[in-house]
Amino acid sequence: MLGPAGFGIIATIDQVVLTVVQVAGFSIPFFSMKFMSRAHSEGNRRFQTVFSSFLRGLFLLSIMVTILVIGITWWHPALLGVELVPYKLFILLALLNVPAMMLGIFFVHTLAAAQMTSASATLNLVVTFCLAFAASSAAWLFGMDGIYITVAITGVLTTIGSIFYIRKKLSLRVTDASAGILKELRRSPEIISFSLYGHMALSAYSITMLIARYEVFSTMGEAQAGLLQALFAIALALGAISGPLNYLYLTPILNRNIPNEDKFEKAHEFQSLMIIIVFTLSIPFLLFPNLALTLLYSSEFRPASAHLYLYVFWQSLYLIVNVYTQLLIGLDDVRFISVSSLISYIVAIVLAPYLVELFGLPGAAFALSLSVFLNGLVIPFRLAAKFRTSIPSGLWIRTIICLGGIVITGQIFSQLEEFSVTGFLARVLYIALLTPLLWKLLPDEQKRMIADMIGRFRA
């Protein structure tokens, strides 16, 4: 429909909007979960008050941010980058979706904070599907001109639908007499420091992503930016599948009022499973990168297939490190992990232009992977120094095998034609050897769950 060039333009504009959501929104949609999880453990009445307070404040903030950024874009579009000035109208239309994006994240996290993991995942899936369907349909029917108007309208409808869904599931009202964001800040002043520290880390991440996209867009052209977005999209799809397990299941548990020892145990158990999930989900893209890009996009995107495993590695590393990032947040060590994340992303921001210029598309993956690696490197030392705990050696071994396996698998099979006799047989043999190993590593509880599902299917 759009080709790599059109896809690259849309991806860069989308990243601008995401950066606005994270930077100008002070990351409140993301970090409100911590305080709502705590409130839920204190009772339904307290949960109602915190929900209404955050919702009111977030709605007002999203409207003000949208008006402000639209004004800046209208009068000074060059501030977003000279290369993006020709696409000023598209950016203005895309910014209309900022309130719906902020509130959409908040609604999903509300259900997760109430430990309704299934309902939270369902809402996230339905809203994402509606927005993706609206965007793809508009692109097919109207081209780029209709995408952002259609998505903005769809965003309003999904926001209204989400409010009714939450009311049905949790009996939460939009308004509450005792609610108020200023009242909540007076009651829990740590919200300000927590949000500011979290804002630094998330903003740095978003800016790093924007700079990586913009550097490719400005130096290598729109088509290469489109290829970069295809690589990002597939890698981030791994996060979209496995990431919610962390945010919607583990994170609410870690932020409840429970002993630290229980939090350590939950994090280690979850990490053991997460490593297996991440590696398993990455296998199809490592073995069949050309096929994945062709089916998901078109044959025009196949030149990027040789680099796909590097982006899968980056996202896998991020998902693994993020488990212990959320653990530190749950332990209220927000300042440390935020400063650590900020420093690691600053390194990526500085190095990204040079690495992209030197290596091309792989350079962006190198910069992002380096930032995650640096952040992950300090977490074990922090756990040992402040909390007198350590990551089990078995988890270290699994992590090394998982990440090393991704790189080696990607390197080997990128050299073998996917549907040649030799290449296809090699892939079949690889899967045959890997399957029993993954089954052996799977925790007993998950083995019983899978066996039960197979038994029901046969019946």
Side-chain angles (χ1 to χ4, degrees):
M1 291 183 290
L2 298 172
F7 200 49
I9 295 169
I10 290 176
T12 306
I13 293 173
D14 287 350
Q15 188 60 53
V16 170
V17 176
L18 286 172
T19 303
V20 170
V21 170
Q22 293 184 336
V23 175
F26 294 97
S27 304
I28 293 175
F30 299 91
F31 288 104
S32 58
M33 184 196 293
K34 178 177 179 66
F35 299 98
M36 288 196 295
S37 296
R38 183 181 298 171
H40 187 262
S41 65
E42 297 172 3
N44 291 333
R45 185 76 197 101
R46 176 68 181 142
F47 189 55
Q48 169 69 70
T49 301
V50 174
F51 168 77
S52 297
S53 299
F54 272 115
L55 178 58
R56 185 182 304 176
L58 191 58
F59 176 74
L60 293 175
L61 177 63
S62 67
I63 297 298
M64 290 189 297
V65 164
T66 301
I67 294 172
L68 177 63
V69 179
I70 284 178
I72 293 173
T73 305
W74 178 265
W75 295 108
H76 302 286
L79 291 176
L80 300 177
V82 177
E83 289 81 3
L84 292 176
V85 172
Y87 310 106
K88 170 183 169 181
L89 178 60
F90 296 129
I91 296 174
L92 290 171
L93 292 174
L95 288 170
L96 294 175
N97 203 42
V98 166
M101 292 177 67
M102 286 189 180
L103 293 174
I105 297 167
F106 173 73
F107 291 144
V108 169
H109 286 179
T110 297
L111 290 165
Q115 294 196 309
M116 299 189 69
T117 308
S118 178
S120 178
T122 299
L123 178 62
N124 186 45
L125 177 63
V126 170
V127 171
T128 302
F129 173 80
C130 290
L131 294 174
F133 181 78
S136 58
S137 299
W140 182 270
L141 295 172
F142 311 112
M144 284 187 61
D145 294 341
I147 291 177
Y148 294 110
I149 295 177
T150 306
V151 169
I153 295 172
T154 306
V156 173
L157 295 176
T158 55
T159 299
I160 296 172
S162 297
I163 292 174
F164 281 105
Y165 185 70
I166 288 177
R167 185 179 180 86
K168 178 182 177 182
K169 288 290 184 180
L170 296 174
S171 300
L172 290 175
R173 302 182 303 277
V174 172
T175 59
D176 184 79
S178 62
I181 191 63
L182 295 180
K183 292 180 182 177
E184 199 58 41
L185 290 176
R186 284 194 291 268
R187 178 186 174 96
S188 304
E190 70 273 16
I191 292 176
I192 297 176
S193 60
F194 184 91
S195 296
L196 287 176
Y197 284 125
H199 175 251
M200 288 192 308
L202 272 182
S203 297
Y205 168 78
S206 187
I207 292 171
T208 303
M209 293 287 286
L210 178 60
I211 287 178
R213 293 180 196 270
Y214 182 77
E215 192 63 30
V216 172
F217 183 87
S218 61
T219 61
M220 302 178 67
E222 298 168 352
Q224 290 297 308
L227 297 181
L228 176 67
Q229 173 56 20
L231 295 172
F232 271 147
I234 291 177
L236 291 171
L238 298 176
I241 296 171
S242 54
L245 293 174
N246 187 337
Y247 289 112
L248 305 183
Y249 171 74
L250 179 66
T251 301
I253 293 176
L254 297 179
N255 286 286
R256 297 181 76 84
N257 292 324
I258 60 175
N260 287 351
E261 289 71 20
D262 292 346
K263 295 182 179 183
F264 300 147
E265 182 180 355
K266 290 289 185 182
H268 297 328
E269 289 177 357
F270 185 84
Q271 184 72 292
S272 178
L273 180 61
M274 175 61 79
I275 292 170
I276 298 174
I277 291 174
V278 165
F279 186 73
T280 303
L281 292 175
S282 69
I283 290 173
F285 302 108
L286 298 174
L287 298 182
F288 299 98
N290 275 317
L291 180 63
L293 287 166
T294 301
L295 290 178
L296 294 174
Y297 303 101
S298 73
S299 58
E300 296 180 77
F301 290 83
R302 293 183 67 175
S305 62
H307 313 311
L308 181 56
Y309 76 94
L310 296 173
Y311 288 84
V312 171
F313 173 86
W314 155 64
Q315 186 61 194
S316 300
L317 179 62
Y318 174 83
L319 291 168
I320 291 171
V321 170
N322 193 48
V323 171
Y324 288 109
T325 298
Q326 296 305 317
L327 173 60
L328 287 177
I329 291 174
L331 295 169
D332 293 327
D333 199 11
V334 181
R335 180 170 61 180
F336 174 82
I337 195 60
S338 297
V339 172
S340 171
S341 299
L342 177 64
I343 294 173
S344 64
Y345 284 124
I346 288 176
V347 172
I349 290 171
V350 172
L351 293 180
Y354 300 101
L355 293 175
V356 169
E357 183 178 354
L358 190 61
F359 298 105
L361 293 180
F366 294 153
L368 293 168
S369 298
L370 177 62
S371 66
V372 179
F373 174 76
L374 292 175
N375 191 37
L377 198 62
V378 300
I379 291 177
F381 295 100
R382 183 62 171 182
L383 289 173
K386 184 171 183 178
F387 300 101
R388 299 295 187 268
T389 189
S390 60
I391 299 173
S393 58
L395 286 179
W396 282 109
I397 295 173
R398 287 192 178 202
T399 301
I400 293 171
I401 292 174
C402 171
L403 297 175
I406 288 173
V407 173
I408 294 171
T409 302
Q411 279 276 15
I412 291 175
F413 288 101
S414 64
Q415 308 300 320
L416 296 174
E417 185 66 32
E418 291 177 12
F419 292 102
S420 66
V421 174
T422 303
F424 189 75
L425 289 177
R427 286 167 170 82
V428 171
L429 178 62
Y430 179 86
I431 295 173
L433 294 174
L434 187 64
T435 300
L437 176 61
L438 290 175
W439 178 260
K440 185 176 181 180
L441 293 174
L442 203 64
D444 292 338
E445 183 179 350
Q446 275 68 44
K447 288 180 181 178
R448 288 192 294 269
M449 185 186 303
I450 293 173
D452 182 57
M453 291 174 61
I454 293 174
R456 291 182 182 181
F457 178 78
R458 288 177 175 175

